[in-house]
Every structure is written in structure tokens, then in C-alpha cells.
Amino acid sequence: MGSGKEKQHKKKQFHLQPKKVVNSKRKKEKVKKTRSSSSSNGESIENVKSKIKVKDTKLIDIVRFPTAAQQLEFFHEQYQSANRIQLSSLELDSFTETCMLELNPDHAQISTALADHMKVAFGSSWKESLCEKELDEKIDPGQPAVLVISLSALRSCDFLRELRPLTSECRAAKLFSKHMKIEEQASTLKNRVNIASGTPSRIKRLIDVEALGLSRLAVIVLDMKTDAKGYSLLTLPQVRDEFWDLYRNYFHQRVLEGALRICLYDEIPVNVKKEKSNQDE
């Protein structure tokens, strides 16, 4: 009997021993897998962090006085992205840096600075083009030389204040819908207008009804300043769509022909990745 119990006991030990070995192996495998997965996760987190840093760098590296080349690259990207098209080689050959108005960094973009920038842009003819109020054979009514396009009526008024040194004799036209009837604006445009400021939707509507003319237009100033929520003329969905509709229909061809220049006013993000790689080399 005793020998039988010993055999049973031995059998139990024989069955239990390999189970313990198997369990320990499984635990070791789990530990290895956990370590390997944690190390791989650590690497991926570092990679993600590095990618975020790169993205953040691109977002925060902005230029207050962008060169013509920087403005052109930024505008090309925005135009193609918003309209979901690629500029043709023929368009790219025509759409060069000469289409962009490079601002003078000697004039800060505060107070009446925009007026100073426009004087430089028009050269010796600035007073004749921007200040005189009398109509003549060369100047038709409702034909501004400068058109400022903004995100809102409030921003349009801010620009008109900056342009006051040029509009004391010939009043600027307010082309936005807030507290302004289109009939009143059409009446104002029956006089000589050198400078106008407004929002995309109202500007387009006034062109459509032939109250606002473009034959004399030489510069469009695009307001790049962001609002409290971080939106700008080219990023606030509805306004962005209205602007590109206006641009495609009335400005793009004139830009390609060299009759119209674009000025991106205020800060814009630039592609610093290329610049940094060039510095590293």
C-alpha cells in the first residue's frame, strides 16, 4: 500500500513539474514581449515627438516682411490646395516673383504703414494715382488703383485708418456688407475712387453688377492677419471660398498678364525646412 502511494505521489510530481516549467517559460516570453513592445513604443513615441517638433517649427517660423519669393511659394500652395488643381507649366512661367509686391522692411506694419508701402509701390506716380480726386479722360469712376481684401468689415476699417494719409482728398470706398447697403456703395463708386477696402463677397457682388471696375487696378492687398480664433482670409472656410471665387473670376488672369500685383500683408508661414537643410549643408 505504501509503495502504491509513493508511486501516485511520484506520478503527481511528474505531472506537476512540466506544468511549472511551461508556465515559467510563458511568463519569460511575456516579459520579453512586454520589454520589446515597450522599447518599440518608446522609439515610436520619440519619432512622433520629432515629427511634431518639425511640424511645430514650420508653423511658428513666420515672416513679417516676406520676400517676393516667399510670398509666391505660399500663394501657390494656397491656390492649388484650395482649388484642388495644379498650375500648368504655362501658368507657372507667367506667375513669377514679379507678380508679388515685396514690402519695404524699413516701414513697420503698424499705424499708417500701409500708406507708406503703397507710396513705394507706385513710385513717383503715387500722388497722382492714389491722392487726386478729379476725374479725367484716363480715370473712369469706380476704378480703384488699390484694393484691400480682408476677413471682416472690422479689419477693412483698420486698413482704411492706415491709409488715411492718402485718402484725405479722395475718399476710400468701403466695400463690405455690415451696415452698408449695396445701393449706397454703388452710388459712391460713381465718383473717382483710388483706394477701396472690403470683404470678398461684397467686392464680387459689386463687380458683378458693374459698379466696381478693375481696369485701373494695380495692387490687391490681402490681409493675412488671423482673428482671435486663428482664422485668416485664406483659412476661414466660407470667406476663403468666397475669396478664391473672386480671385479665379476676376484677378487670376490679370496677374498672369502682369497687369496686377499681389501683396500679402502681415505675417505668413514660410517653408523653413529647405532653408535649414541648406544651412546644414
Side-chain angles (χ1 to χ4, degrees):
M1 293 290 290
S3 61
K5 286 182 179 179
E6 286 177 3
K7 285 180 181 179
Q8 287 179 3
H9 183 65
K10 284 180 181 179
K11 283 182 181 178
K12 285 181 181 178
Q13 287 181 345
F14 178 79
H15 288 299
L16 288 172
Q17 191 64 23
K19 286 183 180 179
K20 288 182 180 178
V21 173
V22 170
N23 287 340
S24 63
K25 283 182 180 179
R26 286 178 180 173
K27 284 180 181 178
K28 286 179 181 179
E29 286 175 0
K30 285 181 181 178
V31 170
K32 286 180 181 178
K33 285 180 181 178
T34 305
R35 285 177 181 172
S36 61
S37 62
S38 62
S39 63
S40 63
N41 286 338
E43 290 175 1
S44 63
I45 289 168
E46 288 176 3
N47 290 335
V48 169
K49 284 182 179 178
S50 64
K51 287 177 183 177
I52 291 170
K53 285 180 182 177
V54 170
K55 287 181 180 178
D56 287 345
T57 303
K58 288 182 72 174
L59 288 172
I60 62 174
D61 282 345
I62 52 180
V63 176
R64 190 159 185 76
F65 296 98
T67 64
Q70 289 169 334
Q71 290 187 62
L72 183 67
E73 182 181 7
F74 176 77
F75 194 78
H76 276 177
E77 290 174 357
Q78 294 295 313
Y79 177 77
Q80 293 180 132
S81 174
N83 296 284
R84 297 179 181 178
I85 59 170
Q86 288 290 324
L87 287 166
S88 66
S89 57
L90 185 63
E91 286 177 310
L92 288 171
D93 289 340
S94 302
F95 205 158
T96 62
E97 293 177 19
T98 57
C99 299
M100 313 305 292
L101 178 61
E102 190 165 325
L103 298 175
N104 187 348
D106 293 334
H107 302 300
Q109 292 182 0
I110 54 173
S111 185
T112 59
L114 184 55
D116 295 329
H117 287 302
M118 292 303 103
K119 287 179 183 179
V120 174
F122 281 82
S124 59
S125 66
W126 69 267
K127 189 171 287 188
E128 178 186 350
S129 300
L130 303 176
C131 300
E132 292 187 7
K133 63 180 291 185
E134 299 299 328
L135 289 168
D136 56 36
E137 295 178 357
K138 297 179 180 179
I139 308 296
D140 291 325
Q143 305 275 349
V146 175
L147 179 60
V148 184
I149 306 175
S150 303
L151 176 69
S152 64
L154 183 62
R155 283 293 296 163
S156 296
C157 291
D158 289 341
F159 278 112
L160 291 176
R161 280 189 283 272
E162 286 195 42
L163 291 163
R164 273 178 184 168
L166 304 176
T167 58
S168 57
E169 292 185 21
C170 184
R171 293 180 63 185
K174 300 177 182 179
L175 309 181
F176 46 80
S177 58
K178 190 172 184 179
H179 306 308
M180 300 284 289
K181 293 181 179 180
I182 194 167
E183 293 79 12
E184 294 173 359
Q185 291 165 331
S187 178
T188 301
L189 292 170
K190 289 179 181 178
N191 303 307
R192 174 165 174 166
V193 175
N194 299 321
I195 296 170
S197 179
T199 53
S201 59
R202 180 52 60 93
I203 290 171
K204 184 176 183 298
R205 192 173 172 191
L206 286 163
I207 297 172
D208 290 341
V209 298
E210 299 182 352
L212 178 65
L214 304 177
S215 62
R216 187 171 163 246
L217 188 63
V219 175
I220 53 171
V221 179
L222 306 185
D223 179 18
M224 292 291 100
K225 190 176 181 64
T226 55
D227 63 11
K229 295 182 179 179
Y231 288 112
S232 72
L233 175 68
L234 302 183
T235 57
L236 186 62
Q238 183 178 348
V239 177
R240 175 196 63 202
D241 295 342
E242 291 169 349
F243 167 74
W244 288 119
D245 184 35
L246 169 66
Y247 176 83
R248 286 192 309 270
N249 283 284
Y250 294 110
F251 300 144
H252 186 61
Q253 190 58 40
R254 287 175 55 80
V255 170
L256 296 181
E257 292 170 355
L260 180 62
R261 288 187 292 171
I262 301 167
C263 173
L264 303 184
Y265 196 74
D266 214 292
E267 299 172 336
I268 65 167
V270 297
N271 191 353
V272 295
K273 192 175 182 182
K274 292 180 182 178
E275 295 177 3
K276 286 186 176 180
S277 63
N278 291 337
Q279 289 174 3
D280 294 338
E281 290 174 5

